[in-house]
Amino acid sequence: MISFENVKAGYPGKEIFQGLSLRFPEKGAVALMGPSGLGKTTLLRLVAGLLKPESGKISGTEGKKISFLFQEDRLLPWISAQKNVELVSDRDTATYWLHQMEIENPALYPREMSGGMQRRVSLARSLAFGGDILLLDEPFKGLDEGLRARVAGRIRGSAPFILLSIHDREEAALMGAEIWELEALLRK
């Protein structure tokens, strides 16, 4: 179980969390919701260990394999979709997840893809990496309604615990996620 105990965190000149305490479930999916700038991405970065708290303690991630889908796609432009996913997995796993994300031509380079296709390649890479904890920052950005539903169905259950940052309650429902309003958590 991932636990935050009295966590203070932020960036130079900007405090995001002061005294944040919460516990995530061991399994399932939790969707963080709230206005932009409230700290959803910061919370994901803290779970991933990419940002260290100024004070307080985060536990429950020790020895866990964590996969992170960033808000930006972060694809390497000089290699194909297939090779971008193979960076974190073997060829068969990459092919499987690209197919699951409905990428019909994995030989395309990022510049040859739409924004939605790039997003799905990034999702495929996160899923191919696998792990115990899957962190998804706005995973459905650029996907139309039908595609979003199909992709969500394939992501659901792909990791023991999924933590996602979203702006849409329908997306949380597609993922079978419990909604946590970050604003309410910060008032506790």
Side-chain angles (χ1 to χ4, degrees), residues 4 7-12 14-17 20 39-59 61 66 68 70 135:
F4 281 54
V7 169
K8 177 181 179 183
Y11 303 96
K14 181 164 184 173
E15 183 178 279
I16 306 292
F17 300 123
L20 178 64
K40 297 180 301 295
T41 296
T42 300
L43 198 144
L44 293 176
R45 291 176 58 81
L46 284 162
V47 170
L50 299 174
L51 179 65
K52 301 293 181 204
E54 293 172 43
S55 62
K57 182 180 177 186
I58 299 170
S59 59
T61 58
I66 300 173
F68 199 141
F70 294 93
L135 304 174

